[in-house]
Amino acid sequence: MSTDPQEGRGTAKIRIDKWLWQARFFKSRSLAAGVVSAGHVRVNGQRAAKTSAAVGPGDVLTFPQGGRIRVIRIGAIGVRRGPATEAQALYEDLEPGPPEPNDSPPIQRDEGNARPTKRDRRKLDLDRRRALE
């Protein structure tokens, strides 16, 4: 008798929040569940309504992560949350390429002034917000 819980089901499936956590897209399973329950995750173009939605190999996920939108195809179901190299083998990244670099020049400061002024800080924050959009 086999101890594999996925055997005999035809196609292996796993909860979407658990898979996102195992593939190391989120630091905790509760963070992954929060993104799914807020309606920010799409499975094959359809919004995932519940954290218990089942996903399997071949499904395409679209979700926000760190100020950018990730588009990935599930390649395998993980057995555990292992090291990053093991997690990267679970999916294929479908994004066209790396994010475009920020074209604005860095703020010029005097040689003796290492810390930015309040005005410089506001400009830095504005540039960072524009880069995320």
Side-chain angles (χ1 to χ4, degrees), residues 65 67-72 92-101:
Q65 182 191 30
R68 64 183 204 177
I69 303 296
R70 301 294 305 260
V71 180
I72 55 137
E92 174 188 354
D93 199 353
L94 300 177
E95 291 185 45
E100 56 190 53

Side-chain angles (χ1 to χ4, degrees), residues 22-68:
Q22 284 181 351
R24 293 187 165 267
F25 287 107
F26 296 97
K27 284 186 175 184
S28 69
R29 191 166 164 188
S30 61
L31 286 174
V35 172
V36 174
S37 63
H40 299 302
V41 179
R42 294 186 176 270
V43 180
N44 298 326
Q46 301 295 319
R47 192 178 119 236
K50 298 181 181 180
T51 58
S52 62
V55 293
D59 288 338
V60 176
L61 302 180
T62 307
F63 58 93
Q65 182 191 30
R68 64 183 204 177

Side-chain angles (χ1 to χ4, degrees), residues 50-127:
K50 298 181 181 180
T51 58
S52 62
V55 293
D59 288 338
V60 176
L61 302 180
T62 307
F63 58 93
Q65 182 191 30
R68 64 183 204 177
I69 303 296
R70 301 294 305 260
V71 180
I72 55 137
R73 178 178 292 125
I74 297 176
I77 300 298
V79 180
R80 65 184 181 120
R81 186 173 201 251
T85 54
E86 188 177 305
Q88 289 171 348
L90 298 178
Y91 63 91
E92 174 188 354
D93 199 353
L94 300 177
E95 291 185 45
E100 56 190 53
N102 189 2
D103 293 338
S104 63
I107 295 174
Q108 299 298 320
R109 293 191 198 98
D110 296 334
E111 189 63 34
N113 188 6
R115 295 181 63 179
T117 63
K118 191 171 188 177
R119 182 179 177 197
D120 291 341
R121 174 62 59 202
R122 287 181 181 146
K123 186 172 180 346
L124 283 170
D125 291 342
L126 182 63
D127 288 344

Side-chain angles (χ1 to χ4, degrees), residues 6 8-13 56-57:
Q6 303 294 337
R9 290 189 185 177
T11 305
K13 297 280 186 176

